[in-house]
Amino acid sequence: MLIRDAEAADWDAVWPFFRTIVAAGETYTYPRDLDEPTARGMWMLAPPGRTVVAVDETTGDVLGSAKMNPNHMGGASHIASASFMVDPAHAGRGVGRALGGSMLAWARAEGYRAVQFNAVVESNTRAVALWKSLGFEVMTTLPEGFLHPTLGYVGLHIMYRRL
Ligand SMILES: CC(C)(COP(=O)(O)OP(=O)(O)OC[C@H]1O[C@@H](n2cnc3c(N)ncnc32)[C@H](O)[C@@H]1OP(=O)(O)O)[C@@H](O)C(=O)NCCC(=O)NCCS
């Protein structure tokens, strides 16, 4: 698997699984009917942000994508944030872990002092376990912070890792 900067042409491969993940409404605080141009604008970042794709080097398939960016501006711009989407057809193969590791390397190289995830849905146990294994802690959980389509109101974690 190769992780590289996303090019504009990669969006066509990202959008189908991005749309599936967002439409499910289980893991992101995006509107479930997010339209394509808005999604592209939110995901395909210019510096100081960065968007990457994970590509199967044999088939050329895009397996997943991540975006990373300063979480705040001004006096809090030393903290990065990031978001991840792995094509469900390729889940559980280490793509999310590789994207997470790549993001941490980027954040360190860019001089960030920490990474903050603002909204990790408590019931997204796969993501929570992955981020904990990469050194993130749950700093707080917003009670009933997220309305899950089948579970109802669940907690929303703020997760944090110093670099
Ligand atoms: C969360 C997500 C990024 C994980 O990506 P992935 O490529 O499936 O994950 P990986 O294969 O790298 O597995 C990473 C860890 O997830 C956990 N995991 C994997 N499969 C799991 C399963 N079936 N059940 C629970 N946890 C699981 C394990 O902790 C695993 O660690 P391991 O490498 O020690 O086995 C991906 O599922 C995804 O895009 N989900 C939808 C969007 C999303 O939730 N984004 C993150 C928002 S915070």
Side-chain angles (χ1 to χ4, degrees):
M1 182 195 327
L2 169 72
I3 295 177
R4 60 162 172 80
D5 286 332
E7 295 162 8
D10 291 317
W11 174 250
D12 287 349
V14 172
W15 170 239
F17 63 81
F18 184 110
R19 179 174 49 188
T20 300
I21 289 167
V22 171
E26 296 174 349
T27 56
Y28 271 90
T29 59
Y30 299 156
R32 295 175 70 177
D33 59 353
L34 190 64
D35 64 88
E36 186 274 328
T38 307
R40 179 162 23 97
M42 290 167 57
W43 198 259
M44 301 296 277
L45 300 184
R50 183 190 188 204
T51 303
V52 298
V53 285
V55 178
D56 183 318
E57 289 182 275
T58 310
T59 62
D61 290 344
V62 174
L63 308 172
S65 181
K67 74 172 172 79
M68 49 210 84
N69 48 275
N71 192 41
H72 293 295
M73 297 183 285
S77 57
H78 56 284
I79 301 173
S81 191
S83 303
F84 301 82
M85 300 249 185
V86 173
D87 184 342
H90 300 289
R93 287 175 40 184
V95 178
R97 179 175 294 285
L99 286 168
S102 168
M103 178 279 294
L104 288 171
W106 169 85
R108 269 194 208 93
E110 293 291 310
Y112 289 99
R113 291 171 62 86
V115 180
Q116 177 175 333
F117 296 150
N118 299 306
V120 182
V121 179
E122 188 173 33
S123 54
N124 189 1
T125 50
R126 173 177 292 195
V128 173
L130 174 57
W131 307 144
K132 283 184 176 171
S133 78
L134 289 175
F136 285 80
E137 282 179 80
V138 174
M139 304 305 288
T140 194
T141 304
L142 309 174
E144 302 191 346
F146 188 84
L147 180 56
H148 188 283
T150 57
L151 302 174
Y153 289 103
V154 296
L156 198 58
H157 294 319
I158 294 175
M159 299 188 75
Y160 190 76
R161 186 204 197 281
R162 285 179 194 230
L163 297 175

